[in-house]
């Protein structure tokens, strides 16, 4: 009853909150694809079709213009100068001086070269597009001028930065730094807010040794800061507040004007990848006078609003950006070529093999045996197929399924074979078994409390699951090669999850994904369906269900579920269930009701965020109601309350939870948990205190966990203590592994179980890593004299039947994807590799682990071991192009690889064309050069425009033009049609204007 009263009071509080769903709808998520960039030369400029007017170099336009009778800011293209016009469709183009050591503002008209960058991609569960920015680079000059105007006013007074503080450091700073390439496993997916405005829901930040590092190029674009990242030199340069106050981060020394309150940092670290430079948040605070707060429990960075970075200016930029991107949607698709996932009719076989000889002595009985495990994935009939089989003298395990994911179909996903059922409150949690599972219509989550995380990996691997950098659980994968985490917390807002894998040969890898829970679960009028039919693995009981959800409004959904469930052998129940979900602001309420005819069950789930706390409350009541969740009507009611948050200005997160069960035939059960987790240097740690009351007995337990790297060793340790009624150790596990050399890895694991007959055991493992396989010797010794030894060999195979290509590697192909890029000279510009066209060799791409490899004489480049949990960006190294007049249609490609199919990707490269002409006009009966007039050539099919102005002598030139059919315009007047072929140099007849 106390819990019910608490829920009612909490509901009353929520209904009084001023921020409703309508107010929430006004809070735009500030995360968008980058706007197209423009590249100009002294003679030529390419811009997007229908983009902004181009002005002569000596003309500075007024940034205000009358539009429909009111003032509106013009969308003005950057004017960047190049020796040659180079038209390269990319998602983002940065501009850098030819001499990287020359420190000056980036936005000048001096000769420049291009440096490309593609913002890294993002997130699993749904293939979410890459990390996004709100900056329209074609407006940067205008908005930097606006910022300078604002800063001019701000400099007349003491500049207020945050919380009433003023910039006080006020002196040049020189900070030495050590740089290092970023490690994939240390990236975190986080949210970024500026004031109350959400800038990005999928920011890839970096975390190392308890410190957070933000991507500077992306941050500069989001906040419109005049700094630029140079990927070639891994340097950063620009200015802040005024061009005289330069910023230079290069050659292991950063120099800038100290704008923050704290100028005490004497040295720091910097990390880099192909896309960005990652700086410590404390350095960023010094550099720009900002206050940055990181909330580890929510994986959120909050930048306090500053007068030097006006929020109103960013909001206005966002408004103009949305209009601009709506107009340029078609062109954006050309800048980075997105390659859709392909499921082959007959795919390529990915296989993992693990064979071993096992010998052991137990209770003075010695025996030896051979055991092994085989896993395989491939595509068959457009479906992905998985089979896992393990055998030993005592057991055989088979795990197999066939599945398909569809992006543009009413049916979104289905799986047949080994499945996980959908979770249905009151009736059943997600269960393992054999059957079929289908999800269709709009995406919808029936159970808002938890998610289930499951997958396959090789046996004897350890898997750790983290949510927002807090350890959730640890599992050692058994002979079925499956890991499965149930009741994983799922709160309102951004939930960032990370799986860390640790192999028996010393392998380590990680996978990250995020799930957002907000009031955008379903759009008004949307329908979502789920169906499942299965035989449960644990007891062979059956269940069949059909669920439908309908969004009445954007914040109100209703659901109906029909379940036929076998609660005991040949004892069936038909259970209808209805649910109502109300989402408003940062809160969610779900009401469930189910009825069997003989009894009923009802429940209320409330969760949300308030201030610095996330919370979830769940109450369920059962009246003569049996189901898989409440077998044999054992429960009368149960309640759960979870609170979580983080400590200000620290890396510590905390959570409190309580669980109460009113049992029908036994005493009530009560449990409280308190957890603190954080990170120190490169060690993640947590401490959980648990109090239980059952059968008139109170018990207190404590669990301490730590995982991370110390020097050359990677340590993992878990300690379980019974604190009351007596202090004793229940279990202690310590695992440490290190690479002795490039080929040799050593691992030791200590296990202490005082309650066992043999309380102490030590496992020593040494692995030798061949190029294509690994061999390891494992010896377990126990305190009672028993021992266990095994010699195991493992390898992974990738076979492409079409070409009879065989690849062997010690790194598994089973959970990674592969693509084959085929680069060719597309002479007829049709995108097809024709027999009379030549392959392009020597091209290299970044964004993967084999970036030194290049296309061969056939133009082919096989890229393996790509992550499958999110889209992968592959960026062409432009310096690898054999001819400066060769230009690819897309400088970068986004791929969605999956194991079981080596996807072939055609990569056309075209010889560009040149065009020259002369324009004159009549003036008082004389023909004079039409100096300064705008000349445009437009290709409607490619949605491309090239622009230049007539020079003093009447000549205009277009170079490095993609071949195709064009129309030529002088100002807005169509003057001619022309066709440019690869390698053409076309000189037009003189055009005379009346």
């Amino acid at each position: 009853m106390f819990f019910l009263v608490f829920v009612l009071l909490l509901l009353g509080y929520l209904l009084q909150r001023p921020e409703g769903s309508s107010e929430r709808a006004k809070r735009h998520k500030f995360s968008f694809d980058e706007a197209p960039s423009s590249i100009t030369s002294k003679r030529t400029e390419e811009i997007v079709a229908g983009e902004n007017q181009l002005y002569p170099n000596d003309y500075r336009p007024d940034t205000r213009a009358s539009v429909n009778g009111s003032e509106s800011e013009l969308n003005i293209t950057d004017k960047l100068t190049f020796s040659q016009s180079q038209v390269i469709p990319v998602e983002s183009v940065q501009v850098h001086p030819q001499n990287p050591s020359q420190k000056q503002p980036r936005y000048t008209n001096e000769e420049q070269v291009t440096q490309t960058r593609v913002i890294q991609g993002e997130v699993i569960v749904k293939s979410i597009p890459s990390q996004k920015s709100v900056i329209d680079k074609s407006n940067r000059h205008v908005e930097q001028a606006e910022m300078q105007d604002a800063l001019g006013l701000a400099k007349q007074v003491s500049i207020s930065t945050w919380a009433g503080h003023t910039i006080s450091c006020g002196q040049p700073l020189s900070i030495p730094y050590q740089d290092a390439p970023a490690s994939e496993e240390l990236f975190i997916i986080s949210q970024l807010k500026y004031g109350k405005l959400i800038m990005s829901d999928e920011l890839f930040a970096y975390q190392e040794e308890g410190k957070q590092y933000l991507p500077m190029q992306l941050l500069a674009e989001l906040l419109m800061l005049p700094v630029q990242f140079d990927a070639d030199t891994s340097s950063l340069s620009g200015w802040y507040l005024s061009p005289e106050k330069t910023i230079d981060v290069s050659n292991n020394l950063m120099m800038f004007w100290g704008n923050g309150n704290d100028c005490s940092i004497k040295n720091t670290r910097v990390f880099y990848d192909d896309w960005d430079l990652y700086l410590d948040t404390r350095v960023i605070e010094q550099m720009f006078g900002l206050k940055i707060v990181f909330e580890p429990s929510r994986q959120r960075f909050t930048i306090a609003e500053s007068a030097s970075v006006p929020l109103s200016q960013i909001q206005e930029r966002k408004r103009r950006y949305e209009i601009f991107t709506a107009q340029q949607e078609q062109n954006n698709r050309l800048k980075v070529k997105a390659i859709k996932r392909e499921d082959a009719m007959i795919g390529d076989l990915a296989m993992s093999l693990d064979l071993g000889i096992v010998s052991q002595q137990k209770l003075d009985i010695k025996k030896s045996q051979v055991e092994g495990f085989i896993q395989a994935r491939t595509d068959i009939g457009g479906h992905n197929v998985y089979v896992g089989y393990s055998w030993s003298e005592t057991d055989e395990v088979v795990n197999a399924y066939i599945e398909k994911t569809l992006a543009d179909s009413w049916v979104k996903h289905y799986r047949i074979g080994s499945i996980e059922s959908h979770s249905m409150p009151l009736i059943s949690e997600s269960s393992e078994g054999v059957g079929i599972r289908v999800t269709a219509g709009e995406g919808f989550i029936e159970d808002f409390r938890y998610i289930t995380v499951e997958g396959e990996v090789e046996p004897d691997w350890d898997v750790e699951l983290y949510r927002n950098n807090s350890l959730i659980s640890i599992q050692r994968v058994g002979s079925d090669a499956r890991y499965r985490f149930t009741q994983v917390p799922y709160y309102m807002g951004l939930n960032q999850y990370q799986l860390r894998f640790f192999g028996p040969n010393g392998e380590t890898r990680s996978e990250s994904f995020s799930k957002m829970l907000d009031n955008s679960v379903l759009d008004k009028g949307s329908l979502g369906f789920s169906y499942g039919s299965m035989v449960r693995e644990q007891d062979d009981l059956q269940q069949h269900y059909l669920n439908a959800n309908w969004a009445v409004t954007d914040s109100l959904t209703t659901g109906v579920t029909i379940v036929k469930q076998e609660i005991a052998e040949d004892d069936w129940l038909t259970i209808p269930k209805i649910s109502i979900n109300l989402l408003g602001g940062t809160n969610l309420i779900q009401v469930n009701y189910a009825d069997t005819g003989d009894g009923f069950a009802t429940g209320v789930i409330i969760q949300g965020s308030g201030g610095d706390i996330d919370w979830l409350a769940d109450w369920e009541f059962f009246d003569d109601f049996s189901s898989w969740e409440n077998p044999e009507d054992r429960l009368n009611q149960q309640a759960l309350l979870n609170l979580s948050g983080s400590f200000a200005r620290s890396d510590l997160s905390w959570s409190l939870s309580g669980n109460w069960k009113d049992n029908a035939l036994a005493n009530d059960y009560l449990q409280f948990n308190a957890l603190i987790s954080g990170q120190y240097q490169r060690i993640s740690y947590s401490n959980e205190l648990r109090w239980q009351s059952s059968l008139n007995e109170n018990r207190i337990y404590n669990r301490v966990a730590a995982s991370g790297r110390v020097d050359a060793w990677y340590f993992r340790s878990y300690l379980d203590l019974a604190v009351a009624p007596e202090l004793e150790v229940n279990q202690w596990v310590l695992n440490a592994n290190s690479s002795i050399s490039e080929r040799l890895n050593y691992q030791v694991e200590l296990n202490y179980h005082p309650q066992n007959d043999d309380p102490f055991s030590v496992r020593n493992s040494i692995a030798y890593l061949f190029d294509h396989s690994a061999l390891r010797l494992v010896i377990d010794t126990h305190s009672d004299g028993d021992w266990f030894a095994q010699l195991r060999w493992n390898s992974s195979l990738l076979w492409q039947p079409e070409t009879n290509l065989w690849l062997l590697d010690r790194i598994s192909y089973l959970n990674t994807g592969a693509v084959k890029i085929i680069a060719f000279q597309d002479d007829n510009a049709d995108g097809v590799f024709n027999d009379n066209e030549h392959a392009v060799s020597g091209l290299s791409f970044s964004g993967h682990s084999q970036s030194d490899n290049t296309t061969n004489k056939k133009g082919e480049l096989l890229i393996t071991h790509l992550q499958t949990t999110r889209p992968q960006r592959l960026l062409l190294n432009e310096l690898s192009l054999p001819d400066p007049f060769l230009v690819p249609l897309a400088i970068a490609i986004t791929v969605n690889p999956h194991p079981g199919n080596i996807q072939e990707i055609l990569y056309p490269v075209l010889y560009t064309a040149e065009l020259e002409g002369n324009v004159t006009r009549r003036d008082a009966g004389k023909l004079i050069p039409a100096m300064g007039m705008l000349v445009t050539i437009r290709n409607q099919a490619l949605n491309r425009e090239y622009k230049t102005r007539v020079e003093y002598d009447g000549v205009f030139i277009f170079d490095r033009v993609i071949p195709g059919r064009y129309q030529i315009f002088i100002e807005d007047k169509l003057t001619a049609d022309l066709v440019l072929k690869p390698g053409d140099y076309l000189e037009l007849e003189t055009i005379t204007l009346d």
Side-chain angles (χ1 to χ4, degrees):
M1 291 302 296
F2 167 77
F3 184 78
L4 183 58
V5 171
F6 169 79
V7 170
L8 292 175
L9 290 174
L10 185 59
L11 180 59
Y13 165 74
L14 294 176
L15 294 177
Q16 296 178 10
R17 289 176 63 89
E19 182 183 21
S21 60
S22 62
E23 185 67 25
R24 170 73 173 175
K26 297 177 184 178
R27 292 173 54 190
H28 299 280
K29 293 182 181 178
F30 218 9
S31 57
F32 303 92
D33 285 329
E34 290 199 45
S37 299
S38 302
I39 305 175
T40 72
S41 74
K42 294 180 180 178
R43 295 182 180 268
T44 309
E45 177 181 20
E46 179 211 19
I47 66 171
V48 179
E51 202 178 335
N52 317 311
Q53 183 179 359
L54 181 67
Y55 294 89
N57 289 342
D58 59 350
Y59 178 65
R60 293 181 58 85
D62 188 351
T63 61
R64 312 293 296 184
S66 177
V67 178
N68 296 330
S70 62
E71 283 197 334
S72 174
E73 294 187 16
L74 291 175
N75 216 5
I76 300 175
T77 306
D78 285 0
K79 305 203 309 303
L80 307 173
T81 306
F82 294 82
S83 59
Q84 292 182 338
S85 61
Q86 184 175 358
V87 183
I88 304 177
V90 296
E91 183 183 60
S92 174
V93 178
Q94 283 78 45
V95 185
H96 305 282
Q98 286 185 326
N99 181 4
S101 63
Q102 184 179 356
K103 306 308 172 188
Q104 55 182 329
R106 292 294 186 186
Y107 310 107
T108 69
N109 284 329
E110 297 180 12
E111 185 170 313
Q112 315 244 345
V113 295
T114 60
Q115 170 63 46
T116 60
R117 181 181 69 89
V118 179
I119 299 177
Q120 50 189 315
E122 84 170 339
V123 199
I124 175 66
V125 176
K126 292 183 179 178
S127 291
I128 301 175
S130 61
Q131 184 167 304
K132 302 169 181 176
S133 163
V134 300
I135 296 306
D136 172 1
K137 293 187 179 177
S138 63
N139 282 319
R140 180 167 286 169
H141 277 298
V142 175
E143 307 209 357
Q144 289 300 336
E146 294 169 358
M147 179 173 285
Q148 283 301 103
D149 292 340
L151 293 178
L153 295 175
K155 285 189 287 186
Q156 296 176 14
V157 296
S158 178
I159 297 178
S160 177
T161 57
W162 48 268
H165 294 273
T166 57
I167 293 176
S168 62
C169 186
Q171 59 180 329
L173 299 178
S174 297
I175 303 176
Y177 67 87
Q178 293 180 336
D179 59 350
S183 175
E184 179 72 23
E185 64 187 32
L186 296 179
F187 278 106
I188 58 175
I189 305 172
S190 55
Q191 185 182 72
L192 177 67
K193 293 181 66 178
Y194 184 75
K196 294 183 179 181
L197 190 64
I198 298 176
M199 307 289 283
S200 174
D201 275 327
E202 288 131 21
L203 176 81
F204 273 72
Y206 196 75
Q207 183 165 269
E208 205 264 356
E209 295 186 354
K211 298 177 182 178
Q212 290 76 41
Y213 300 78
L214 291 178
M216 276 306 304
Q217 182 63 56
L218 180 65
L219 190 66
E221 292 167 355
L222 292 173
L223 300 182
M224 297 183 296
L225 305 173
V227 295
Q228 200 88 39
F229 169 61
D230 186 334
D232 284 342
T233 59
S234 299
S235 63
L236 192 77
S237 62
W239 51 273
Y240 185 61
L241 296 182
S242 67
E244 294 77 23
K245 296 180 178 179
T246 59
I247 296 173
D248 175 29
V249 180
S250 63
N251 300 320
N252 299 104
L253 182 66
M254 54 178 65
M255 297 181 291
F256 57 90
W257 188 272
N259 291 308
N261 285 335
D262 179 15
C263 296
S264 62
I265 297 179
K266 301 304 180 185
N267 54 72
T268 185
R269 298 195 69 185
V270 170
F271 298 92
Y272 60 87
D273 58 17
D274 289 334
W275 327 122
D276 222 317
L277 196 70
Y278 301 84
L279 299 191
D280 191 334
T281 54
R282 298 177 305 159
V283 173
I284 299 173
E285 288 179 328
Q286 285 188 3
M287 193 175 288
F288 301 104
L290 301 172
K291 180 183 180 182
I292 304 174
V293 176
F294 176 63
E295 301 172 75
S297 65
R298 294 175 177 168
Q299 295 289 277
R300 182 168 69 195
F301 292 91
T302 301
I303 303 176
E305 187 177 349
S306 169
S308 56
V309 186
L311 180 61
S312 59
Q313 179 177 310
I314 294 176
Q315 289 173 322
E316 177 61 18
R317 163 62 68 84
K318 174 179 175 290
R319 182 189 66 80
R320 291 199 309 275
Y321 178 82
E322 288 173 338
I323 296 173
F324 179 81
T325 52
Q327 296 171 345
Q328 308 306 330
E329 180 180 356
Q330 176 64 29
N331 188 77
N332 286 342
R333 288 198 291 268
L334 297 173
K335 292 186 174 299
V336 176
K337 186 177 181 180
I339 308 297
K340 292 185 178 180
R341 167 177 168 151
E342 290 183 0
D343 295 303
M345 295 302 294
I346 300 295
D348 308 301
L349 180 63
M351 182 178 291
S352 180
L353 305 135
D354 192 307
L355 305 175
I357 301 174
V358 178
S359 182
Q360 63 179 337
Q361 174 181 296
K362 190 170 185 178
L363 300 176
D364 296 327
I365 299 176
K366 297 180 180 179
K367 63 177 181 179
S368 300
Q369 64 181 30
V370 177
E371 60 184 35
F373 183 82
I374 298 177
Q375 289 175 295
R377 281 188 189 273
T378 190
D379 282 358
I380 298 178
H383 294 71
N384 193 246
V385 179
Y386 168 83
V387 178
Y389 171 65
S390 68
W391 74 91
S392 65
E393 282 191 0
T394 58
D395 194 17
E396 290 187 15
V397 178
V398 177
N399 177 30
Y401 59 81
I402 180 171
E403 68 176 345
K404 188 173 183 65
T405 300
L406 303 100
D408 303 320
S409 172
W410 181 74
V411 176
K412 301 301 181 184
H413 176 266
Y414 58 86
R415 176 187 284 191
I416 303 172
S418 299
I419 65 167
E420 296 275 340
S421 66
H422 294 87
S423 179
M424 296 173 285
L426 303 179
I427 297 177
S428 73
E429 296 178 352
S430 179
S431 302
E432 291 180 284
V434 177
I436 181 172
R437 167 182 166 144
V438 182
T439 302
E442 298 297 326
F444 187 81
I445 298 172
E446 172 68 15
D447 191 345
F448 288 101
R449 301 169 300 174
Y450 310 109
I451 65 169
T452 297
V453 179
E454 53 94 18
E456 297 86 25
V457 72
E458 293 86 345
D460 293 329
W461 279 62
D462 291 337
V463 185
E464 297 178 349
L465 174 63
Y466 292 80
R467 176 192 173 270
N468 290 355
N469 217 34
S470 296
L471 180 65
I472 300 297
S473 186
I474 308 149
Q475 292 183 8
R476 174 158 290 177
V477 178
S479 58
D480 61 353
R482 299 179 67 187
Y483 60 86
R484 182 171 181 266
F485 299 94
T486 60
Q487 296 191 352
V488 178
Y490 182 43
Y491 289 111
M492 289 291 291
L494 180 67
N495 297 264
Q496 191 264 329
Y497 300 97
Q498 185 181 58
L499 289 164
R500 299 180 185 176
F501 299 90
F502 303 93
N505 299 323
E507 307 97 329
T508 60
R509 64 182 179 89
S510 64
E511 293 178 1
S512 297
F513 63 95
S514 65
K515 289 178 70 69
M516 173 66 72
L517 179 59
D518 59 13
N519 63 346
S520 62
V521 175
L522 279 181
D523 294 328
K524 180 180 178 180
S526 299
L527 288 171
F529 295 88
S530 60
Y531 166 76
S533 181
M534 70 178 301
V535 177
R536 191 162 63 173
E537 183 178 291
Q538 66 188 60
D539 50 20
D540 293 335
L541 297 179
Q542 299 182 46
Q543 175 179 261
H544 314 278
Y545 59 89
L546 176 64
N547 172 266
N549 288 278
W550 175 50
V552 182
T553 68
D554 288 340
S555 58
L556 176 65
T557 65
T558 60
V560 177
T561 306
I562 302 295
V563 182
K564 190 171 182 62
Q565 197 174 79
E566 187 181 19
I567 59 174
E569 187 174 358
D570 296 327
D571 186 2
W572 288 86
L573 288 175
T574 299
I575 311 174
K577 183 176 84 77
I578 60 173
S579 62
I580 298 175
N581 307 284
L582 178 63
L583 298 98
T586 58
N587 305 297
L588 178 149
I589 301 174
Q590 183 180 72
V591 180
N592 295 289
Y593 177 83
D595 197 308
T596 62
D598 297 325
F600 72 91
T602 188
V604 179
I605 302 170
I606 307 176
Q607 71 155 287
S609 300
D612 297 327
I613 298 177
D614 297 320
W615 49 271
L616 180 147
D618 178 21
W619 171 73
E620 295 178 338
F621 177 80
F622 303 94
D623 184 1
D624 195 20
F625 182 88
S626 293
S627 66
W628 282 7
E629 185 166 318
N630 186 28
E632 300 177 357
D633 194 20
R634 296 173 184 174
L635 284 175
N636 294 325
Q637 57 184 324
Q638 64 179 353
L640 173 71
L641 178 64
N642 287 336
L643 303 172
S644 67
S646 58
F647 296 101
R649 306 298 292 181
S650 76
D651 296 322
L652 293 176
S653 301
W654 60 267
S655 67
L656 299 173
S657 63
N659 185 15
W660 168 65
K661 293 183 178 181
D662 177 10
N663 295 304
L665 302 177
N667 293 336
D668 289 0
Y669 172 84
L670 188 62
Q671 175 177 303
F672 288 102
N673 295 62
L675 173 71
I676 293 179
S677 61
Q679 187 165 0
Y680 175 73
Q681 294 185 353
R682 302 190 73 172
I683 303 292
S684 298
Y685 60 88
S686 64
N687 186 74
E688 181 181 20
L689 189 66
R690 184 172 72 253
W691 174 81
Q692 292 179 347
S693 177
S694 180
L695 300 175
N696 298 321
E697 188 175 50
N698 296 325
R699 293 182 176 274
I700 300 177
Y701 302 95
N702 192 63
R703 179 179 176 84
V704 180
S707 176
R709 186 175 297 278
V710 178
D711 295 329
W713 289 84
Y714 202 108
F715 290 92
R716 291 175 289 134
S717 182
Y718 320 105
L719 174 63
D720 289 321
L721 297 172
V723 179
E726 295 182 0
L727 179 63
E728 59 181 354
V729 176
N730 287 336
Q731 181 183 7
W732 178 45
V733 179
L734 174 63
N735 181 286
N737 78 79
S738 179
S739 295
I740 301 174
S741 66
E742 291 185 358
R743 295 285 187 179
L744 211 57
N745 180 270
Y746 172 69
Q747 189 169 169
V748 60
E749 183 172 292
L750 310 177
N751 286 272
Y752 180 54
H753 299 261
Q755 290 76 23
N756 293 355
D757 294 335
D758 54 339
F760 192 78
S761 66
V762 179
R763 166 174 287 196
N764 286 277
S765 172
I766 189 164
Y768 187 82
L769 309 178
F770 299 95
D771 289 337
H772 306 303
S773 62
L775 185 68
R776 70 179 181 274
L777 175 65
V778 181
I779 300 178
D780 286 6
T781 56
H782 298 260
S783 55
D784 62 356
D786 291 344
W787 53 268
F788 173 89
Q790 56 180 330
L791 182 65
R792 305 194 73 92
W793 172 87
N794 69 275
S795 183
S796 188
L797 163 72
L798 182 61
W799 175 47
Q800 188 178 39
E802 183 180 356
T803 61
N804 199 29
L805 172 68
W806 294 78
L807 297 175
L808 289 174
D809 203 318
R810 65 172 183 268
I811 302 174
S812 177
Y813 290 108
L814 202 76
N815 295 302
T816 60
V819 298
K820 181 192 288 185
I821 295 176
I822 304 175
F824 64 99
Q825 185 177 308
D826 193 10
D827 292 333
N828 58 4
D830 64 351
V832 179
F833 194 0
N834 300 305
D835 292 338
N836 60 340
E837 293 176 334
H838 299 287
V840 179
S841 62
L843 299 188
S844 62
F845 293 79
S846 61
H848 61 101
S849 60
Q850 307 139 40
S851 56
D852 291 336
N853 295 347
T854 63
T855 53
N856 59 22
K857 293 181 179 179
K858 296 181 179 180
E860 298 177 352
L861 172 62
L862 179 62
I863 302 175
T864 60
H865 299 305
L866 292 171
Q867 283 199 25
T868 60
T869 56
R870 62 172 183 262
Q872 299 291 296
R873 292 288 179 91
L874 303 176
L875 178 67
L876 174 69
N877 177 8
E878 295 178 72
L879 297 179
S880 65
L881 286 167
D883 191 310
F885 289 96
L886 279 175
V887 172
L889 280 178
I891 198 74
I893 55 177
T894 300
V895 297
N896 293 272
H898 69 281
N901 182 35
I902 302 175
Q903 187 169 345
E904 292 188 353
I905 300 171
L906 292 178
Y907 194 77
V909 179
L910 291 81
Y911 261 113
T912 54
E914 294 184 54
L915 174 66
E916 183 176 335
N918 192 290
V919 182
T920 60
R921 62 183 177 87
R922 297 185 185 277
D923 185 6
K926 296 181 179 180
L927 292 178
I928 63 173
M931 182 178 63
M933 299 198 75
L934 180 66
V935 184
T936 305
I937 59 172
R938 181 177 302 155
N939 185 315
Q940 296 288 356
L942 295 178
N943 195 25
R944 291 177 183 269
E945 281 189 354
Y946 299 82
K947 294 190 177 187
T948 190
R949 289 193 176 271
V950 178
E951 297 289 343
Y952 69 95
D953 55 359
V955 175
F956 66 88
I957 296 176
F958 292 94
D959 54 13
R960 301 200 74 191
V961 178
I962 295 293
R965 186 179 298 275
Y966 288 86
Q967 293 177 318
I968 184 168
F969 295 83
I970 307 298
E971 296 296 343
D972 294 328
K973 182 180 179 181
L974 176 63
T975 60
D977 293 303
L978 54 93
V979 176
L980 294 176
K981 297 179 180 179
D984 269 358
Y985 176 79
L986 185 60
E987 189 171 352
L988 300 177
E989 295 180 358
T990 299
I991 300 171
T992 301
L993 303 176
D994 293 330

